[in-house]
Amino acid sequence: MPPPIPPGWKAILKPETQKPYYQKLAGFLEAERAAHTVFPPKAEVFSALALTPYRQANVLILGQDPYHDDNQAHGLAFSVRPGVPPPPSLLNIFKELKSDVGFRIPNNGDLAPWARQGVLLLNAVLTVRAHAPNSHKNRGWEQFTDAVIRALGDRAEPVVFVLWGGDARKKVKLLDTQRHAVIASAHPSPLSARSGFFGSRPFSRANAALHAFGHPEIDWQLPDD
């Protein structure tokens, strides 16, 4: 079973957990954890929701599935635990931050400080079998995370949606683009970063949108650990 929905999202997402697809997903995850190593650890599957409650989420950055190598994934899209070298996509995010907002690249890739400021770091798929990317794709997580995206889109307060890559950009159909800000570009992975991610300035654009909405801007600078 997945862990309980964090309190800041429980009332919003409880109906999803009672649907047949979620029960099927829960059974799949139980079997996967019995037979294989699954990332992130069970207690951290909903870390993004725990650190960024529904009412505090002013920005959403959407990833695909968790990092699949040892000790990397901890429940936040693009983030790794302190002490773990940042993977290539995260290094490219840091490079864009440096050119966009004068970011100083830290000695770690832990993005939890963003999450605590209201940046929901959500992956479309919340678990993965160790060393097998996309191994939990099309098992039900996408329906669940679409419900998270829709819930933010239905909120009275506007949200900044940051959508990197083709799969993420498809989620725009879930949103009222007249009320919310959508910042879309290529994915930061080495395969596509030079095809539209570098130079897209998503971080300064997100803060400009937050300012226009009357929300606090994000301090993107991450501390050294």
Side-chain angles (χ1 to χ4, degrees), residues 27-57:
F28 166 75
L29 291 173
E30 198 166 322
E32 280 286 284
R33 289 196 185 275
H36 306 281
T37 299
V38 172
F39 298 137
K42 184 175 178 179
E44 296 179 327
V45 168
F46 292 139
S47 288
L49 301 179
L51 287 175
T52 312
Y54 176 67
R55 290 293 172 196
Q56 278 74 59

Side-chain angles (χ1 to χ4, degrees), residues 85-119:
S89 290
L90 184 52
L91 286 175
N92 284 339
I93 289 169
F94 286 172
K95 289 175 185 176
E96 179 62 18
L97 273 159
K98 185 176 181 180
S99 66
D100 185 10
V101 297
F103 180 85
R104 176 188 51 76
I105 295 177
N107 66 357
N108 71 95
D110 181 11
L111 306 184
W114 295 356
R116 295 188 184 99
Q117 294 181 72
V119 181

Side-chain angles (χ1 to χ4, degrees), residues 149-150 152-161 171-182 213:
I149 295 167
R150 279 197 193 91
L152 284 180
D154 290 344
R155 214 179 63 178
E157 303 86 0
V159 176
V160 181
F161 292 88
K171 304 298 183 182
V172 75
K173 67 181 184 291
L174 305 177
L175 305 172
D176 178 355
T177 57
Q178 301 300 311
R179 287 200 306 116
H180 302 290
V182 176
F213 293 154

Side-chain angles (χ1 to χ4, degrees), residues 177-199:
T177 57
Q178 301 300 311
R179 287 200 306 116
H180 302 290
V182 176
I183 298 170
S185 75
H187 194 275
S189 91
L191 297 174
S192 56
R194 297 190 184 283
S195 303
F197 176 73
F198 288 138

